[in-house]
Amino acid sequence: FAFASADLLMELNDKGNIAYADGATMGLLGLKAEDMLGKSFISFVNDADVKTAHEILSDAEHISRLENVKIRLNSKLHGKLP
């Protein structure tokens, strides 16, 4: 599959921390992908979507892969690590 210019792919470990990130990390968050590794996924999520993100992560415990999940990122973090 191919990325669009604004796509961001993340894989999380069982604690919800980012284990892999690729794509538009610099454009969306002002951060290099490797700087996101080990950080909590939730810390990058827009406040309005935190509840939904927690629900999705809870559901993910029972399945191996989620498809087409859209979560808004916290644009206030641009260039800053949470």
Side-chain angles (χ1 to χ4, degrees):
F1 80 102
F3 281 123
S5 62
D7 281 347
L8 176 58
L9 173 70
M10 288 189 240
E11 290 181 13
L12 309 179
N13 66 18
D14 59 349
K15 295 183 182 350
N17 295 330
I18 299 168
Y20 176 83
D22 196 11
T25 60
M26 188 59 75
L28 293 172
L29 293 167
L31 298 169
K32 293 184 227 172
E34 57 265 21
D35 293 336
M36 298 172 66
L37 301 181
K39 305 288 188 229
S40 167
F41 167 70
I42 294 296
S43 67
F44 290 97
V45 173
N46 183 294
D47 291 343
D49 286 345
V50 167
K51 180 180 177 202
T52 301
H54 277 294
E55 290 170 358
I56 290 168
L57 291 177
S58 178
D59 290 346
E61 292 178 8
H62 309 290
I63 57 176
S64 62
R65 182 181 173 119
L66 300 171
E67 297 290 336
N68 299 322
V69 176
K70 294 181 183 179
I71 297 288
R72 290 173 288 184
L73 300 174
N74 188 346
S75 61
K76 295 177 197 167
L77 294 175
H78 197 79
K80 303 173 195 163
L81 287 171

